[in-house]
Amino acid sequence: MASTKSRLPRNVTSTSLKDRIYQSVKWSLIIGEYFPGSVLSLRSLAKKMGTSTMPVREALTRLASERLLQSSVKRSYRVAELDPKRVADQFFVRARLEGIATELAVPNMTAREIDELEALSQMMEGDIESGNNENYIVRNYNFHFSIYAASQNEELFWSIERLWAQTGPYLAQVVRSQEMPKEWQLLHTQISRAIRGRSAGEAARLIEKDISWSISTFEAFTASEDKS
Amino acid sequence: MASTKSRLPRNVTSTSLKDRIYQSVKWSLIIGEYFPGSVLSLRSLAKKMGTSTMPVREALTRLASERLLQSSVKRSYRVAELDPKRVADQFFVRARLEGIATELAVPNMTAREIDELEALSQMMEGDIESGNNENYIVRNYNFHFSIYAASQNEELFWSIERLWAQTGPYLAQVVRSQEMPKEWQLLHTQISRAIRGRSAGEAARLIEKDISWSISTFEAFTASEDKS
DNA sequence: CGTCAACGACTGTGATCACAGTTAGAATAA
DNA sequence: TTATTCTAACTGTGATCACAGTCGTTGACG
C-alpha cells in the first residue's frame, strides 16, 4: 500500500504522522478496501497504526470534511452508506469535471506520457481478459489521473480526486464482485488513441462515456442487490 | 459565556465546538475578512474563541485539507499567498461548475425563490450605486448560492462553496478596495430574469460572464498593485 | 417466551502537557 | 550603518486524561 502512495502528488515534506495516516486511509477508500458502513474508530485505528489517537482523529476529521467519511457527534466515523441519489450526483459532477480536465490535458501531453498511457490501457485489457479486477482498479486510477495531471490545473485535479475517493468504496465493490463488462475492454485504448491524435473533444467524450458506463454498471448492480 | 450555552436546549448546542469554529473561519474567508498571507495560530484563535486549542486545530486541519489554508510542518497556518496561476485555475473551475449548477437549477426554482432572487438583485444594484461594498459581498453570496442550492446536487454545491472560500480572500480584497464597475449593476437582474424565463442556457452563460468579469477585475487590480 | 430497563464497554470531544522545530528581533560585530 | 549571530518567544505535533453521549448486551420482570 505504501508504494502506491508515490502516485499521489503532494508536498515533498509531508512527514507528519497525521498526514501519513490520512493518505493511508484515503487510498484504502479509493481502492475500495473499506465497505460502505464500515466503522473506523479512533482508538482501534490508532492501535493498528501504533500511534496515539491524536494523529488519527486529525486524519479522520479531514476525511470527514472531504465527505469521504460520515460523522455525527459522539458517534463513530463510518464510510458513508449507499445513497443512490448522492452517488448519482457524484458521478454527474465527475463526468463533467473529468471531461473538462481531459480537454485541457490533450494538447499538453508529451509523446512519452501518451506511450505510458497506451501501455497502461494494454495492461488493463489484459486485466479484464484474465479477470484480474484488483490490478484493474489501480491501473484505472493511474490511467485517469495521469491525464488529469496533464491538465496542469491543480484545483481541477484535487476536485476530481476528492470525488474519486467518494465514489471509490461503491464502485470498487461493484468491480470486485463481478466480471467486468466486455465493452470496457477497448475504451481506454480508444482514449489514448484519441489523445495521440490530439482530438480533445473526442477524448473528453470517451472519458465521459467511461464514467456513464460506470454509472449504469453500478446501477444495475444495486438493482440486482435489492432483489436478493 | 460557556455557562449560558450549557443551559440551552441540547439540539441548539448539538453542533460541536470544532464545527462552529470551522464554520466561523470559513465564513470569514468567504467574505474576505482575512487577507492573503494572514497567520492563523492555534493559541491566538483559541484565545479569541474562548476555547482550548483542541477544537481549533481540528477546524484548521479541515480548512487546510480543503486548501483554504496553507500549512507546512511546524509552521503556522496561513491564508494562501497570491498565486496568479492558482487563482486563475480556481476561477476557471468555478466558471464551469457554476454554469453547470445554474443549468440544473433553472427548471427547479420556484416562483417564490425567483422573487427572492430578484429582490436580492435589486438590493445589489442599490449597493453598487451607494458604494456599499460590504453588503454587496454578502448579498452576492446569497444570490449565487440560492441558485446553486436549487441544482439539488449537494456534491456540486459543496465543490463550489469550497472554491468560493478559496477565492474569497482575493476577490473580496479587490471589491473592498475600489469602486465596483458599473457593468456589474445590471448583470444579476438579468440573471434572475433569465431564470424566470426558464432559459437555462442563457442563465448559465450570464453566470459565467459574471465570473469572467470577476477575473478581469481581479487581474486589473493585481496589475495595478504590481506597479505601485 | 417476549419486553424492556439498566449496565458496561464502547464512541468522539475538549483540555492540558511536553517537546521540537520555526521565526522574528535584539544584541553583537564589522 | 549594515550584516550576522543568537536567544527567547512563538509555532504545530503527539500523547494522555476526564467526560459525556451512544449502543449493544444482559438480566430481570411480566
Side-chain angles (χ1 to χ4, degrees), chain B residues 17-26 59 62-63 66:
Chain B
L17 225 37
K18 62 173 186 174
D19 285 341
R20 272 184 293 190
I21 294 173
Y22 166 80
Q23 295 290 352
S24 159
V25 176
K26 181 154 108 176
R62 277 185 67 173
L63 291 163
E66 293 170 7

Side-chain angles (χ1 to χ4, degrees), chain B:
Chain B
M1 183 190 295
S3 59
T4 59
K5 287 190 299 190
S6 59
R7 292 295 171 190
L8 295 172
R10 70 178 183 285
N11 56 351
V12 176
T13 55
S14 64
T15 57
S16 59
L17 225 37
K18 62 173 186 174
D19 285 341
R20 272 184 293 190
I21 294 173
Y22 166 80
Q23 295 290 352
S24 159
V25 176
K26 181 154 108 176
W27 179 249
S28 295
L29 287 168
I30 289 177
I31 64 173
E33 218 167 74
Y34 296 126
F35 298 100
S38 294
V39 169
L40 298 175
S41 86
L42 297 184
R43 287 170 180 84
S44 62
L45 240 182
K47 195 174 175 184
K48 183 177 157 192
M49 299 286 182
T51 69
S52 82
T53 61
M54 204 56 245
V56 175
R57 62 198 270 197
E58 297 204 70
L60 294 194
T61 53
R62 277 185 67 173
L63 291 163
S65 82
E66 293 170 7
R67 319 196 66 204
L68 309 189
L69 296 177
Q70 285 181 334
S71 77
S72 38
V73 272
K74 303 262 178 172
R75 291 187 49 181
S76 53
Y77 289 89
R78 54 191 69 211
V79 179
E81 288 285 358
L82 181 64
D83 174 350
K85 162 82 167 94
R86 183 160 176 249
V87 176
D89 284 351
Q90 289 165 345
F91 274 118
F92 174 85
V93 181
R94 270 193 54 187
R96 297 302 193 96
L97 285 183
E98 293 179 39
I100 293 166
T102 303
E103 254 180 281
L104 290 177
V106 167
N108 293 339
M109 293 194 81
T110 66
R112 178 184 303 260
E113 285 171 339
I114 299 174
D115 287 344
E116 283 169 17
L117 220 52
E118 218 158 65
L120 263 177
S121 69
Q122 292 295 328
M123 289 189 281
M124 287 162 76
E125 283 191 19
D127 291 334
I128 294 181
E129 195 74 41
S130 62
N132 196 335
N133 300 17
E134 220 58 42
N135 276 355
Y136 180 86
I137 290 173
V138 175
R139 289 193 175 124
N140 187 46
Y141 174 89
N142 289 333
F143 183 93
H144 281 263
F145 280 89
S146 68
I147 297 175
Y148 308 148
S151 74
Q152 294 177 4
N153 185 324
E154 263 193 65
E155 308 307 318
L156 197 50
F157 184 94
W158 285 108
S159 295
I160 294 171
E161 206 203 28
R162 201 171 51 89
L163 285 163
W164 270 63
Q166 285 179 348
T167 55
Y170 311 113
L171 196 50
Q173 192 187 8
V174 178
V175 173
R176 279 214 175 74
S177 65
Q178 62 181 25
E179 223 175 311
M180 286 177 281
K182 288 297 171 197
E183 310 103 68
W184 290 14
Q185 204 155 10
L186 282 175
L187 190 56
H188 290 88
T189 307
Q190 288 173 344
I191 291 170
S192 53
R193 210 168 286 156
I195 294 175
R196 190 180 294 283
R198 304 296 180 186
S199 39
E202 173 72 358
R205 198 185 60 77
L206 288 169
I207 284 280
E208 292 184 30
K209 187 177 181 183
D210 182 32
I211 297 167
S212 77
W213 277 0
S214 296
I215 300 175
S216 48
T217 306
F218 171 76
E219 284 174 349
F221 176 79
T222 50
S224 70
E225 282 282 290
D226 284 343
K227 274 185 281 186
S228 63

Side-chain angles (χ1 to χ4, degrees), chain A residues 41-43 57 74-75 77:
Chain A
S41 87
L42 296 183
R43 288 171 180 82
R57 59 196 271 198
K74 303 263 179 173
R75 292 188 48 181
Y77 288 88

